[in-house]
Amino acid sequence: MKAQDSATASASIAVPATPSPAHTAARAEGGPAATRRGTLLASLGVAAFSLTFPSTAWGLESFGPWSLVALRSILAAAIAGVFLLALRVPVPERRHWGSLLVVAGGVVVGFPLLTTLALRTSTTSHAAVVVGLLPLTTAAFAAVRTGRRPSRTFWGAALAGAAVVVAFTLGESGGSLSAGDPYLFGALLVCAAGYTEGGRLARLMPGWQVAGWALVLCLPLALPGAVVALMAEPVRLSAHGLVGLVWVAAGSTFFGLYVWYRGMASIGIARASQLQLAQPLLTLVWSVLLLSEQLSPAAPLAAVAVLVCITVTQRTNA
């Protein structure tokens, strides 16, 4: 979880100023060493994001869904706040706060909360395949928001991927939606909206700052929310639960975004986006290794089919 589809990114977390398009292009077209370094950083980001669902499942062993999301937001905001203060990053202009609210509502609050609620009844492997549709959903939102119209081949692949996801979901639930699926599809919508608005805003400020300010913006809601949730939901502390909480806050929400945007600055947005196609499959692997889930034969087949469709969209005129 996570603002992966930003239009631009900061070349270094220590440089708060927005890089020019020429500077970004120069970094993207660097030598072999820069390319290898950027690929490694972006790959680390994808790996971090792929662990979000398994670590959320671990976190639910200790905390209720509302408590877990509130605590995740608080910890991630604290980390982001330290960097923003240490680097003396100026407060965004007033005209940007509306967009930051959309990012915060979709990426920081909406997606984590809805997927956490879904994981109470859905396996992480099932959720990974459904949320594998997120890049296509984001593309649809971006087309509406920016007015840019992708090619027919792009939309044909997008619709094919959607058909695979729907068929898998109905097949796994015996022909009807399961209790967690409405949450997952809702998560797709709010996260796609947050990604789209964040991508537009990242043209005006480094992407990690967009995520950082969105996290800080959620603090007034997360702090009282955590108090209420912890009073209402039982807490059963365990090693798994604490590790899950720390990872979704520090790993998925902050570290993942940090290395992801640095990688994008080195190798370019298009090339980095190809690496993220492996994320659903990685989540399926983690669900088996960490959660001992048993995958149905349809789960990996559906994941591969979705990834093929996404690959086609990435290689056509979008």
Side-chain angles (χ1 to χ4, degrees), residues 76-90:
I79 298 172
V82 168
F83 276 92
L84 292 171
L85 288 174
L87 298 175
R88 299 182 180 180
V89 177

Side-chain angles (χ1 to χ4, degrees), residues 137-166:
T137 310
T138 303
F141 271 79
V144 174
R145 187 71 174 90
T146 65
R148 185 174 182 178
R149 298 292 182 262
S151 66
R152 292 183 179 180
T153 303
F154 178 94
W155 289 119
L159 291 174
V164 172
V165 169
V166 171

Side-chain angles (χ1 to χ4, degrees), residues 4 29 42-43 55 65 99 119 127 133 137 144 166 175-176 201 253 255 285 291:
Q4 294 113 307
E29 297 174 359
S43 299
S55 56
S99 296
L119 287 174
L133 192 59
T137 310
V144 174
V166 171
S176 61
L201 189 58
T253 306
F255 172 77
V285 172
L291 304 176

Side-chain angles (χ1 to χ4, degrees), residues 31-309:
T35 299
R36 288 194 296 270
R37 182 172 62 251
T39 301
L40 175 61
L41 289 170
S43 299
L44 286 174
V46 172
F49 298 143
S50 71
L51 278 163
T52 300
F53 283 173
S55 56
T56 297
W58 273 9
L60 287 173
E61 295 181 14
S62 293
F63 305 96
W66 296 90
S67 301
L68 181 61
V69 172
L71 292 173
R72 166 184 179 168
S73 297
I74 292 172
L75 291 177
I79 298 172
V82 168
F83 276 92
L84 292 171
L85 288 174
L87 298 175
R88 299 182 180 180
V89 177
V91 175
E93 299 177 23
R94 181 178 298 180
R95 62 192 177 97
H96 297 323
W97 285 105
S99 296
L100 285 171
L101 280 172
V102 176
V103 176
V107 178
V108 180
V109 177
F111 184 80
L113 178 60
L114 291 172
T115 53
T116 299
L117 291 172
L119 287 174
R120 295 182 304 169
T121 55
S122 296
T123 64
T124 59
S125 56
H126 178 87
V129 175
V130 175
V131 178
L133 192 59
L134 180 57
L136 306 179
T137 310
T138 303
F141 271 79
V144 174
R145 187 71 174 90
T146 65
R148 185 174 182 178
R149 298 292 182 262
S151 66
R152 292 183 179 180
T153 303
F154 178 94
W155 289 119
L159 291 174
V164 172
V165 169
V166 171
F168 169 77
T169 303
L170 294 178
E172 289 294 291
S173 58
S176 61
L177 294 175
S178 67
D181 290 332
Y183 291 122
L184 291 173
F185 286 109
L188 289 177
L189 297 178
V190 298
C191 192
Y195 279 174
T196 301
E197 201 62 29
R200 293 179 66 254
L201 189 58
R203 296 179 180 179
L204 305 175
M205 66 177 69
W208 76 270
Q209 291 183 21
V210 174
W213 286 115
L215 286 165
V216 172
L217 191 61
C218 290
L219 269 179
L221 177 65
L223 287 171
V227 173
V228 174
L230 289 171
M231 293 176 60
E233 296 177 334
V235 175
R236 298 175 292 272
L237 293 181
S238 67
H240 275 182
L242 293 175
V243 170
L245 170 62
V246 170
W247 182 260
V248 292
S252 299
T253 306
F254 185 78
F255 172 77
L257 292 177
Y258 169 52
V259 295
W260 174 247
Y261 283 118
R262 288 201 63 180
M264 291 176 74
S266 296
I267 65 176
I269 296 174
R271 185 179 295 179
S273 68
Q274 298 299 314
L275 298 174
Q276 198 173 14
L277 300 179
Q279 185 172 324
L281 288 179
L282 286 174
T283 298
L284 293 178
V285 172
W286 294 129
S287 68
V288 174
L289 296 179
L290 300 179
L291 304 176
S292 300
E293 289 188 2
Q294 299 297 321
L295 298 182
S296 69
L301 294 176
V304 171
V306 168
L307 291 180
V308 169
C309 294

